Amino acid sequence: MATQEEVIQSLKTVPYPGFSRDIVSFGLVREVRIEDDLIEVNLALTTADQDIPLRVKETVEQQLTRDFPTTQEVNVVVAVSRPAQSQSQPSTPGQASQPTANPLSGVKHVIAIASGKGGVGKSTFATNLACALNQILLKEGKSQAVGIMDCDIYGPSIPLMMGIHQQPEIEDNLIIPLSNFDIEVMSMGFLVDPETPVIWRGPMIMKTIQQFAQNVKWGDLEVLVIDLPPGTGDAQLSLVQTIQLDGAVVVTTPQPAAVNVARRGARMFGQVNVPLIGVAENMSYLEMPDGGRSHIFGEGGGPQTAVELQTGFLGQIPLDTNIREGSDHGTPIVLAKPDSLPAKAFHGIAVQVLDELRKPDQA
Ligand code: ADP
């Protein structure tokens, strides 16, 4: 007869579809029961993709039958819950009867800003995009309509970039986002001690992100911009399992080498059915005093990435000292210098993002 420990070891060889991590370390195994010749495994998944539970169930059954050939019966039960949804997603019956249970019920569109690696200006991009979106929405008569959720656990920098220095308050067990420049801001940085380096392990990342995503009381927002951690690993999977995203923007640099990295990130969104809104290229060029452009980091990475990912190229953001200064001083360039070239570039991208979100098949 198999032991519980042996069954768990066997389950550790079953990867989550599309990922190299296994279902045990993702915390999906709720119970393993062994009775005479029966092995029963209870799993709990959060996904909107109906295929995934079926694939997991099938693979687990095959694996257990292979590892424990003398067992008469293998019973795998998968409990599936849907991710918290934004307004643009169809709601489940449970949510219709309990609208306040979903902290995202007032949010119309949720988008993620992603990059294959750190240091490409993803957070700077997320902040300025949010500011540009807010300017457009203000003109439409909507105030306090944009939020930023900083999930970059490795370097949460959005509060500083948005000039926010206080800590959020808790109300009815929900965290109330802080606000500046008419934009709601919530950051993982508020939850971790900046003096203590945190070593994030897979399951820990997953739990923290899920809690973070489910316990913030967002207002009635038109767009919530999520700054993802760089890379394509567990944190991103946790996030997209917890919140249903309406789309993702991939930020890259102009180096041709960046294309490979960005491609990996985009493949991850494909695996979890999140549509790509497009690719934005940051640090594209430096404008010279004579009006010429110096391509310090090479050329072509952004458009090439967009072609590879079969998505749109949203535009280029130049290298500009004012961008860095705006971030360091807590006033993003879109607000500090709205007539500057970079601010206009962010604005152009924001218009496209909003158009994409408002397309009939997205709404
Ligand atoms: P990431 O989130 O990808 O790690 P950040 O947004 O934190 O990157 O940016 C890294 C650094 O580069 C920051 O100091 C930021 O101010 C600076 N930066 C980002 N984009 C630009 C740009 N276009 N021009 C000048 N500095 C930039």
Side-chain angles (χ1 to χ4, degrees), residues 118-124 161 282-283 317-320 323-324 327:
V120 304
K122 176 180 51 60
S123 300
T124 306
M161 290 182 178
N282 188 30
M283 309 187 179
I317 309 293
L319 262 172
D320 191 315
I323 295 184
R324 187 199 46 77
S327 293

Side-chain angles (χ1 to χ4, degrees), residues 13-288:
T13 62
V14 177
Y16 189 90
F19 287 81
S20 52
R21 288 251 336 263
D22 66 278
I23 56 169
V24 176
S25 68
F26 268 136
L28 307 180
V29 179
R30 287 294 143 90
E31 195 186 9
V32 172
R33 229 165 45 84
I34 295 157
E35 225 173 76
D36 302 326
D37 276 339
L38 165 80
I39 299 178
E40 187 175 286
V41 175
N42 284 305
L43 304 170
L45 305 188
T46 305
T47 177
D49 185 341
Q50 296 176 345
D51 242 22
I52 289 188
L54 291 176
R55 278 162 63 192
V56 171
K57 181 175 158 65
E58 218 174 82
T59 323
V60 169
E61 281 169 353
Q62 283 167 1
Q63 189 65 38
L64 293 178
T65 315
R66 199 175 311 138
D67 287 350
F68 307 100
T70 56
T71 299
Q72 298 281 315
E73 196 183 339
V74 169
N75 191 11
V76 179
V77 181
V78 186
V80 185
S81 51
R82 285 179 68 84
Q85 290 166 325
S86 61
Q87 277 180 7
S88 61
Q89 309 291 336
S91 65
T92 58
Q95 281 175 327
S97 58
Q98 277 181 310
T100 49
N102 177 5
L104 286 174
S105 58
V107 180
K108 214 165 181 179
H109 305 289
V110 184
I111 61 169
I113 311 301
S115 68
K117 62 181 181 114
V120 304
K122 176 180 51 60
S123 300
T124 306
F125 181 88
T127 312
N128 279 288
L129 178 72
C131 292
L133 286 168
N134 195 48
Q135 283 177 340
I136 298 169
L137 292 168
L138 270 177
K139 283 202 185 116
E140 291 180 3
K142 298 180 178 117
S143 67
Q144 202 86 23
V146 176
I148 311 179
M149 180 165 160
D150 178 10
C151 286
D152 189 345
I153 36 182
Y154 304 107
S157 48
I158 300 279
L160 283 182
M161 290 182 178
M162 286 295 289
I164 291 179
H165 303 285
Q166 65 279 42
Q167 284 281 324
E169 294 189 352
I170 310 263
E171 217 178 84
D172 296 331
N173 284 330
L174 290 174
I175 309 168
I176 311 300
L178 292 159
S179 173
N180 200 11
F181 309 123
D182 197 47
I183 292 171
E184 291 191 2
V185 178
M186 186 57 212
S187 170
M188 292 278 272
F190 295 136
L191 307 184
V192 295
D193 177 359
E195 303 302 321
T196 315
V198 189
I199 301 161
W200 295 94
R201 279 182 297 266
M204 200 161 128
I205 295 180
M206 182 147 166
K207 241 198 148 49
T208 309
I209 288 189
Q210 281 179 351
Q211 277 174 357
F212 183 56
Q214 285 165 343
N215 294 300
V216 178
K217 191 173 182 184
W218 298 103
D220 289 334
L221 301 179
E222 189 83 3
V223 186
L224 177 64
V225 177
I226 296 184
D227 186 21
L228 283 182
T232 57
D234 306 336
Q236 290 84 353
L237 173 67
S238 310
L239 197 105
V240 290
Q241 275 190 307
T242 308
I243 299 180
Q244 206 158 25
L245 299 170
D246 298 297
V249 174
V250 174
V251 180
T252 183
T253 53
Q255 286 109 314
V259 179
N260 280 333
V261 184
R263 197 192 293 136
R264 226 180 304 137
R267 208 178 297 135
M268 185 200 73
F269 288 114
Q271 279 164 351
V272 288
N273 290 332
V274 172
L276 281 183
I277 295 174
V279 174
E281 188 185 84
N282 188 30
M283 309 187 179
S284 296
Y285 57 85
L286 186 66
E287 209 178 42
M288 306 306 280

